[in-house]
Amino acid sequence: MGITRRQFLRWTGVSALGAVVFNGCRIPEEELQIESPVNLPEDLVTGIDNWYATSCRQEPGCGVIIRVVEGRAKKVEGNPDFPVNRGKHSARSEAGLQTLYHPDRLQTPMFRADRNDDFLPISWDRAREILNAGMNSLSDRSRFLLVTEPLRGHLALLTSEFVQALGGRHMAFQSLEQINLHRAVKEVFGQDRLPDFDIENANYLFSFGADFLSTWLSPVRYAGGYGEFRQGDRKRGTHYQMDSRFSMTAANADKWVPVKPGGEGVLAMSMAYVIIRDGMGNADAAAALTDGQGPQALNAFAPDSAMVRDATGLDSGKIEDLAHSFADEGHQPSLAIGGGTAGAHRSGLFNLKAIYALNLLVDNIGKKGGVRFNPAPPLPELSREDVASVGMPASYREWQELAGSGSVDVLMVRGANPVYGLPPGADFARVVNEANFVIAFSSFMDETAGMANLVLPEYTYLEEWGDNVPSPGPSYQTLGIQQPVVRPFHEGTSSFGDELLTLGRELDLRLESRLEVTPDATMKDLIKAGVEKLWPENRGSVTAASFEGFWNGVLQRGGWWDTQATGDSGVAEIKPLDTAWDGSGLGDPGSGMFSLVPFLSNSIGDGQLAHLPWLQASPDPITTVVWHTWVEINSKVAEDMGIAEGDILEVSSGAGTLEAPAFPHPGVPPTTVSIPIGQGHTGMGRYAEGIGDYNYNTLSLLESTTDKDTGALAWAATKVRVKKADHGHSIDIPKFAGNQFAEEPHKGTIIKVTGPS
């Protein structure tokens, strides 16, 4: 890649960086030049756009570039050089600008001694005094609990060292946790890290419950791969979506197979039975998966058995066709992925293990178009078990055990909103109320921060240093760098990592010694020290004659990666399939109850982004509804119940009751209703609080049902009753679509989806 004279002079005017080599750079110089912030944007008043590479926290794992004009961030784009998203990005990334400039963003620390009083603004010096006093009030430091979002990179390292040095406890929070997915990957493949799915090079793609084009794991990466899968320089791939909801991914599939909720694993086991019985696929894998017994080991899952028919809602002929399509030699490589609702039942782990075992039968591990394993992070300290555990969410069972235990005196929460995001059975509000002192690091007064004593406003990701080991990664070592692209917009905000280091010094925890950095180190220093360990290895996407040249090269590219440092190419040991399926969660189909299928909002996710108006106004890809919660119900069922679009429905479970407008749709299976998650806030500012006339928190409906093996929340296992609300109200649902629907499909059919992909 060439450089212009102007760019060369700008670089050499800053410092002599030495020779910097960008290996495999995909950015044409004449289109875009990424800067490194040796000088911050305010110092580069050139009258032209400056672009800065960083990591996005609103679309985890993605690299973005930010257009900055005279010190103000103006536009977010995908980083065309970053291996996870390769220039693609989502509306969630775009809305990062609204996080930065939000009118309801907290601008100074807030404090109240009594949680019944109102918050009062205080200075950071006073806030640190109060924080230190609160921490020093701990007579037993084991009664300190730090709750964060799942963390990776050097912030995970710092958090782990802080909690260990203090003698406290850490719990990572995720509303719809991925515990069963991680456990299934460990038990089926023997891997500690989520794999990369090579969708773009697959010929046949079978997805069970994973809405990978919308919200599942790494949707921007998968959507890019799916575009190649559909429109690449080879024949068009074929996609089957086995799902209990007509999701965005199902709408793009060639065939949608509406499976009964919770029956996805039984379908996968039945497919495995057919593949092994008919001598298809890899014989060695078939023998290992059946412990040498052959298909008779899976006789209970024969497609014509009553158990399989009742669990899946599919007849034997359809299952036989699915199995043969997946394992046909002419269709290879085939790829099976599973997640979302498939892993959110009492038998969620069983389901996912059965689904991922299908990949062993078609021998696609470590191959083009198959499952590619991710290696350990590039820095050994980021691979430690204690650091990795900071990135693993606590199970719902652990949250239940925490409530009422009386084990928390001082609670610190950062980047998480468990008061809103946990179902009622976890009773996290009780944990907050029983704690003596509660600290919340938050940019907005969300439900959890609103119950704290001390609220400390954070920088946004566009204003602070950080890094990230993407999960899932691109199948080779990758480290994304998050750098400040603008100066802090509000002087009264700070960095969580820097404040944790400062607090460690006040408490004499000697974190700098444990982290091997200088006594006055900041988060930037910690990250820079880690990156410096990569420089002498002289490998990967950036190499340079000096460390300063290497550091600035890494900043310009938005990170570092090495395409040659890949994961394992095979499975060390194939374990026999688990045949002990627990179907108790399916319930009685004649009980008059519907299966509730909650789903993450395509824009606001689990509600963490509900305060951003751009995302509130982003139409749902299936219903086109905006600014609202709705209940998707089968059109024929709605007609039989006298329900029309916009009628307010009362949806009730053993946990609670919700009211929301009906959205009849022919793609909803007759025994299910689907409701998005993310609305129903009582805090987070004007664009989230009380939005919609009948918005309730969908999570309040979820019962405390857990996976029998892992304790993970079975968030798709709740049964609900549905009726028109007694008050008889109806509204016009705000949406961008007309009211013409396709013909009602027959029950139990596989639906072929036509139209553009």
Side-chain angles (χ1 to χ4, degrees), residues 538-552:
N538 199 37
R539 64 184 177 97
S541 55
V542 180
T543 56
S546 68
F547 171 64
E548 283 304 311
F550 179 77
W551 170 246
N552 282 282

Side-chain angles (χ1 to χ4, degrees), residues 48 107 227 265 269 274 327 345 349 405 411 416 422 456 469 481 644 728:
I48 62 173
Q107 301 180 25
M269 291 289 280
V274 173
H345 292 269
L349 178 60
S405 66
L411 171 67
L422 282 169
L456 302 175
V469 178
I481 298 295

Side-chain angles (χ1 to χ4, degrees), residues 103-146:
D104 298 328
R105 184 179 165 193
L106 296 176
Q107 301 180 25
T108 189
M110 308 291 287
F111 174 67
R112 58 183 180 183
D114 188 313
R115 273 175 260 162
N116 292 318
D117 294 339
D118 293 332
F119 281 105
L120 296 175
I122 58 174
S123 68
W124 265 101
D125 288 341
R126 177 59 180 147
R128 293 184 182 108
E129 290 176 3
I130 295 170
L131 176 59
N132 295 338
M135 295 297 294
N136 283 317
S137 69
L138 276 168
S139 57
D140 180 357
R141 287 185 168 183
S142 68
R143 298 175 67 82
F144 169 80
L145 174 64
L146 172 58

Side-chain angles (χ1 to χ4, degrees), residues 692-722:
D693 293 336
Y694 293 94
N695 273 343
Y696 292 76
N697 183 357
T698 304
L699 296 167
S700 66
L701 287 175
L702 301 187
E703 297 181 353
S704 296
T705 306
T706 59
D707 183 280
K708 60 187 179 65
D709 297 310
T710 64
L713 177 65
W715 50 264
T718 295
K719 301 295 188 295
V720 295
R721 294 189 182 277
V722 179

Side-chain angles (χ1 to χ4, degrees), residues 377-455:
L379 298 171
E381 60 267 30
L382 303 184
S383 300
R384 289 176 2 203
E385 185 176 347
D386 62 299
V387 177
S389 68
V390 176
M392 284 296 297
S395 71
Y396 183 71
R397 188 177 296 161
E398 290 178 277
W399 293 109
Q400 285 182 300
E401 292 169 353
L402 180 68
S405 66
S407 61
V408 179
D409 282 343
V410 175
L411 171 67
M412 182 182 292
V413 182
R414 185 266 180 176
N417 188 7
V419 171
Y420 170 87
L422 282 169
D427 200 11
F428 189 78
R430 180 177 179 182
V431 177
V432 178
N433 287 325
E434 290 181 349
N436 296 326
F437 188 62
V438 179
I439 312 109
F441 282 85
S442 180
S443 295
F444 296 88
M445 193 65 77
D446 59 27
E447 287 82 354
T448 303
M451 296 182 67
N453 297 96
L454 179 65
V455 181

Side-chain angles (χ1 to χ4, degrees), residues 346-652:
R346 278 183 50 80
S347 56
L349 178 60
F350 168 90
N351 290 348
L352 296 184
K353 287 165 61 177
I355 292 163
Y356 283 106
L358 292 173
N359 294 289
L360 302 174
L361 287 172
V362 295
D363 193 25
N364 70 5
I365 307 303
K367 297 180 180 179
K368 192 174 182 179
V371 179
R372 303 183 298 190
F373 298 143
N374 276 297
L379 298 171
E381 60 267 30
L382 303 184
S383 300
R384 289 176 2 203
E385 185 176 347
D386 62 299
V387 177
S389 68
V390 176
M392 284 296 297
S395 71
Y396 183 71
R397 188 177 296 161
E398 290 178 277
W399 293 109
Q400 285 182 300
E401 292 169 353
L402 180 68
S405 66
S407 61
V408 179
D409 282 343
V410 175
L411 171 67
M412 182 182 292
V413 182
R414 185 266 180 176
N417 188 7
V419 171
Y420 170 87
L422 282 169
D427 200 11
F428 189 78
R430 180 177 179 182
V431 177
V432 178
N433 287 325
E434 290 181 349
N436 296 326
F437 188 62
V438 179
I439 312 109
F441 282 85
S442 180
S443 295
F444 296 88
M445 193 65 77
D446 59 27
E447 287 82 354
T448 303
M451 296 182 67
N453 297 96
L454 179 65
V455 181
L456 302 175
E458 281 195 271
Y459 292 155
T460 68
Y461 75 92
L462 298 176
E463 301 167 302
E464 69 175 342
W465 290 95
D467 62 350
N468 180 41
V469 178
S471 179
S475 79
Y476 46 86
Q477 287 186 338
T478 302
L479 182 69
I481 298 295
Q482 175 190 309
Q483 60 175 316
V485 301
V486 293
R487 297 189 188 278
F489 191 62
H490 298 299
E491 293 183 359
T493 56
S494 186
S495 158
F496 171 70
D498 287 342
E499 292 302 323
L500 215 56
L501 286 165
T502 300
L503 181 59
R505 287 189 280 270
E506 293 292 334
L507 299 176
D508 195 27
L509 300 183
R510 303 184 180 180
L511 294 178
E512 290 81 5
S513 175
R514 299 170 69 105
L515 296 167
E516 299 180 349
V517 292
T518 59
D520 58 349
T522 63
M523 272 302 296
K524 177 183 178 180
D525 298 324
L526 178 60
I527 294 164
K528 194 171 183 178
V531 172
E532 189 169 8
K533 296 175 184 178
L534 294 171
W535 168 58
E537 296 183 10
N538 199 37
R539 64 184 177 97
S541 55
V542 180
T543 56
S546 68
F547 171 64
E548 283 304 311
F550 179 77
W551 170 246
N552 282 282
V554 169
L555 295 181
Q556 285 178 265
R557 298 197 76 174
W560 175 96
W561 47 92
D562 185 355
T563 58
Q564 303 303 310
T566 57
D568 298 335
S569 59
V571 178
E573 178 187 7
I574 298 179
K575 299 178 181 178
L577 285 165
D578 178 8
T579 58
W581 178 65
D582 178 7
S584 62
L586 294 183
D588 177 11
S591 65
M593 304 285 279
F594 291 86
S595 292
L596 173 63
V597 184
F599 61 96
L600 293 172
S601 165
N602 183 65
S603 54
I604 64 175
D606 65 355
Q608 287 288 83
L609 302 177
H611 58 298
L612 303 178
W614 280 354
L615 299 183
Q616 286 280 13
S618 296
D620 174 74
I622 299 300
T623 65
T624 75
V625 175
V626 296
W627 290 96
H628 234 288
T629 300
W630 65 93
V631 181
E632 295 175 8
I633 186 170
N634 178 269
S635 299
K636 183 63 167 61
V637 171
E639 182 181 349
D640 292 343
M641 296 177 65
I643 294 171
E645 182 181 303
D647 287 347
I648 303 303
L649 302 183
E650 180 182 289
V651 184
S652 58

Side-chain angles (χ1 to χ4, degrees), residues 78-238:
N79 183 347
D81 209 26
F82 198 71
V84 171
N85 53 309
R86 294 176 292 185
K88 308 298 189 262
H89 71 297
S90 70
R92 294 180 287 268
S93 294
E94 289 269 6
L97 297 180
Q98 290 199 322
T99 303
L100 175 64
Y101 299 124
H102 202 290
D104 298 328
R105 184 179 165 193
L106 296 176
Q107 301 180 25
T108 189
M110 308 291 287
F111 174 67
R112 58 183 180 183
D114 188 313
R115 273 175 260 162
N116 292 318
D117 294 339
D118 293 332
F119 281 105
L120 296 175
I122 58 174
S123 68
W124 265 101
D125 288 341
R126 177 59 180 147
R128 293 184 182 108
E129 290 176 3
I130 295 170
L131 176 59
N132 295 338
M135 295 297 294
N136 283 317
S137 69
L138 276 168
S139 57
D140 180 357
R141 287 185 168 183
S142 68
R143 298 175 67 82
F144 169 80
L145 174 64
L146 172 58
V147 177
T148 69
E149 76 275 34
L151 300 174
R152 297 182 183 89
H154 282 85
L155 187 56
L157 174 65
L158 171 58
T159 299
S160 178
E161 293 288 8
F162 178 87
V163 173
Q164 288 185 67
L166 184 68
R169 182 182 179 189
H170 172 267
M171 294 176 72
F173 170 74
Q174 191 176 48
S175 288
L176 304 187
E177 62 214 29
Q178 301 286 349
I179 291 173
N180 285 339
L181 177 60
H182 284 270
R183 179 83 169 267
V185 166
K186 177 67 174 179
E187 295 195 15
V188 175
F189 302 132
Q191 296 292 309
D192 293 320
R193 294 165 187 84
L194 295 180
D196 181 44
F197 303 113
D198 190 13
I199 291 174
E200 62 189 88
N201 290 306
N203 278 336
Y204 267 65
L205 172 63
F206 279 53
S207 173
F208 296 75
D211 192 7
F212 62 86
L213 293 179
S214 180
T215 56
W216 187 68
L217 290 186
S218 188
V220 173
R221 175 169 179 77
Y222 299 145
Y226 196 77
E228 293 297 320
F229 173 82
R230 289 303 204 185
Q231 302 169 9
D233 56 358
R234 56 182 178 79
K235 66 178 182 180
R236 184 174 184 267
T238 301

